[in-house]
Amino acid sequence: MAGEEMIFSKSQKLYELAKKLMPGGVNSPVRAYEPYPFFTSHAEGPMICDVDGNRYIDYCMAYGPLILGHAHRQVIKAVRDSLSKGTIYGTPTEAEVRLAEMVMKAFPSIEMIRLVNTGTEATMHAIRVARGYTGRKKIVKFEGGYHGAHDYVLVKAGSGATTFGAPTSLGIPEETSKNTIVLPFNNTALLQQIIDQYGEEIAAVLIEPVIGNAGPILPRKGYLQDVRKMTQEHGIILMFDEVITGFRLAFGGAQEYFKITPDMTTLGKILGGGLPLAAFGGKKEIMEHVSPLGRVYQAGTFNGNPISTAAGLATLKILSTKPDIYEQLKRKGDHLRKGLQDIIEDRRVVAQVSGLESMFQIFFTKNAVTDYESAQTSDRNQFMNYQQNLMKQRVFVPPSQFETCFISAAHTDAHVSKSLEAMDSAISLL
Ligand code: PMP
């Protein structure tokens, strides 16, 4: 219960051991934070439980896949049923075909699809396809947009308004990143300038329609339409990275929500219903370049594996047959964002609430958050204090200012109200 002394001895010990075995004690960087992360024992619905017996209302939700909540009964059953028939075959299955049909019905812009395992793979291969199709080398991405941990996209802007990519990570050859142009989000003038200058060399503009990886950052009105128009005029592939927004903003993702038709789309997270599954797809004439039909190579032992496919199918079936699910998610999202905004005003803290539908985040800055630069003005220490205060109140939000909090169908109004009380207390203690 909130207020009681929390015990973390098992997590602390596991972290000490893990640090000796794995870089930073974790298998993905954002999971590590000070003084130590909790180690999870199990999770159910909106709750996540640690090895010391603490239970939290979860808004991290595994960074996005769990729109139905943890361990949804029908998803678990689908996985169990599939498991009983074997784990992987290396041959096609009917379930892959059914899943492809479902995705393409939800996303009419996807006329052909390839199932892969992670968002990283999806964007990496989609970019290769875009390059193979157009015969062009350069790609454009936006500051704060995250498209996975591969060489083409691990590039961010320098301090100038635009810059040819300097790699964000060591180990990325300049030769690779120099073909990645990074621009500020929500800035049409700079995009136009770059397209005017390099349009004939740009294979694709890769964009998170709502940035989810710098906290949620919304496109300003008309921005995505402008990006669509500019890319179309120059034969540049508009690639929507909907790894987060797909099946989240609407069943048909951001492209349904904002009524934009991209040429290619990447999906992940919710698509696999909590198991590793991702996809890329788009216009038939583009996707026909993928092997074995075409000459852009793409392959994977675990592509479209039966267990992930079963979890994905079960999830999409639920999402597509519960008509009010997105309405309910929006209502809870509005409740949370409005509640958080009221707390900020009542407590007179300098902060912004950002998000839409079932995505939200608080930024401790006086600036409206419209791009990466304004997001960076947030006081990260204050955010981490807020995050730690929330943990004491048994609410878990991602341990980084630059992540998004996710609401699931399993969060009830009571969970939201309780969370708002915890947020009030966490903010009052800052
Ligand atoms: N694209 C976007 C928009 C993402 O949010 C992420 C992951 N956060 C990725 C790609 C990479 O996906 P994965 O972690 O499954 O490789």
Side-chain angles (χ1 to χ4, degrees):
M1 293 295 289
E4 276 174 25
E5 190 63 31
M6 293 173 91
I7 296 169
F8 286 110
S9 52
K10 285 189 190 157
S11 283
Q12 198 170 1
K13 279 191 195 125
L14 279 170
Y15 192 48
E16 287 309 312
L17 178 58
K19 279 198 283 195
K20 294 184 189 133
L21 305 172
M22 297 179 269
V26 288
N27 282 313
S28 195
V30 76
R31 295 177 200 169
Y33 57 93
E34 294 306 321
Y36 46 85
F38 68 78
F39 281 60
T40 299
S41 62
H42 63 287
E44 202 179 353
M47 306 302 292
I48 189 163
C49 309
D50 72 18
V51 287
D52 289 293
N54 302 303
R55 280 165 55 84
Y56 311 84
I57 302 177
D58 188 7
Y59 291 100
C60 177
M61 298 310 280
Y63 297 93
L66 301 167
I67 195 162
L68 298 175
H70 291 281
H72 189 279
R73 203 172 34 82
Q74 279 156 271
V75 179
I76 299 291
K77 179 174 182 318
V79 169
R80 282 212 175 103
D81 290 349
S82 181
L83 259 177
S84 69
K85 294 184 253 174
T87 51
I88 181 136
Y89 316 121
T91 59
T93 61
E94 179 175 348
E96 290 165 83
V97 179
R98 299 288 166 232
L99 184 62
E101 278 180 334
M102 270 199 107
V103 174
M104 285 150 79
K105 204 168 157 211
F107 290 76
S109 73
I110 303 182
E111 296 168 357
M112 229 181 216
I113 193 167
R114 166 68 44 99
L115 300 180
V116 292
N117 300 285
T118 64
T120 298
E121 286 169 62
T123 64
M124 182 170 74
H125 293 299
I127 290 169
R128 185 180 300 151
V129 174
R131 285 175 165 155
Y133 171 77
T134 57
R136 301 171 178 179
K137 282 189 193 165
K138 293 192 194 308
I139 57 162
V140 171
K141 74 174 280 289
F142 298 90
E143 289 174 27
Y146 178 73
H147 307 288
H150 61 82
D151 289 7
Y152 306 153
V153 290
L154 267 189
V155 185
K156 67 172 185 186
S159 54
T162 77
T163 164
F164 275 86
T168 298
S169 160
L170 289 181
I172 298 176
E174 275 162 37
E175 293 80 1
T176 310
S177 45
K178 77 167 195 259
N179 284 313
T180 304
I181 303 171
V182 187
L183 296 173
F185 188 69
N186 269 332
N187 185 326
T188 349
L190 279 171
L191 179 63
Q192 186 66 62
Q193 206 175 307
I194 284 292
I195 288 183
D196 287 346
Q197 204 172 347
Y198 300 104
E200 306 310 307
E201 296 171 57
I202 299 171
V205 168
L206 177 55
I207 190 166
E208 282 186 78
V210 170
I211 291 190
N213 287 287
I217 303 179
L218 276 55
R220 65 160 178 69
K221 203 163 184 295
Y223 173 65
L224 295 171
Q225 281 81 355
D226 290 345
V227 176
R228 173 64 285 185
K229 191 159 167 284
M230 282 186 243
T231 46
Q232 202 143 28
E233 281 167 3
H234 288 78
I236 298 168
I237 289 177
L238 176 60
M239 192 184 292
F240 267 17
D241 184 351
E242 297 229 38
V243 166
I244 286 181
T245 52
F247 308 106
R248 164 113 3 226
L249 294 187
F251 191 56
Q255 48 200 272
E256 177 189 322
Y257 193 80
F258 295 111
K259 300 187 179 57
I260 311 271
T261 308
D263 304 301
M264 291 186 80
T265 300
T266 53
L267 296 167
K269 304 218 187 230
I270 293 173
L271 175 66
L275 272 80
L277 186 68
F280 64 94
K283 282 194 176 133
K284 194 158 173 256
E285 63 175 89
I286 301 173
M287 288 300 288
E288 278 175 344
H289 283 66
V290 178
S291 55
L293 193 56
R295 289 176 51 217
V296 178
Y297 196 66
Q298 198 293 320
T301 302
F302 294 98
N303 282 3
N305 75 80
I307 314 296
S308 296
T309 305
L313 261 179
T315 302
L316 299 198
K317 271 185 197 154
I318 295 166
L319 290 176
S320 64
T321 49
K322 279 200 176 168
D324 70 339
I325 203 161
Y326 289 99
E327 229 174 271
Q328 295 298 333
L329 283 166
K330 176 178 167 32
R331 196 180 48 71
K332 286 181 266 185
D334 287 344
H335 181 186
L336 233 156
R337 283 183 296 270
K338 165 86 171 56
L340 204 44
Q341 187 64 47
D342 289 346
I343 293 167
I344 287 170
E345 280 160 27
D346 290 351
R347 297 281 174 194
R348 294 172 197 276
V349 284
V350 178
Q352 312 285 328
V353 180
S354 183
L356 78 175
E357 303 294 317
S358 55
M359 299 165 67
F360 72 96
Q361 182 57 297
I362 180 169
F363 289 94
F364 292 95
T365 173
K366 64 179 182 351
N367 303 309
V369 177
T370 57
D371 57 14
Y372 185 63
E373 211 174 288
S374 44
Q376 290 287 319
T377 62
S378 180
D379 183 335
R380 293 173 212 196
N381 288 335
Q382 202 166 12
F383 179 85
M384 282 314 291
N385 290 338
Y386 159 78
Q387 194 270 353
Q388 290 287 303
N389 289 348
L390 271 182
M391 293 258 296
K392 288 181 195 137
Q393 307 285 323
R394 310 300 200 267
V395 172
F396 179 54
V397 297
S400 164
Q401 171 69 86
F402 305 110
E403 295 291 344
T404 291
C405 300
F406 295 105
I407 300 166
S408 80
H411 291 82
T412 63
D413 290 328
H415 291 116
V416 172
S417 300
K418 207 167 158 195
S419 305
L420 282 169
E421 279 170 31
M423 285 167 185
D424 184 42
S425 160
I427 287 173
S428 76
L429 294 169
L430 290 176

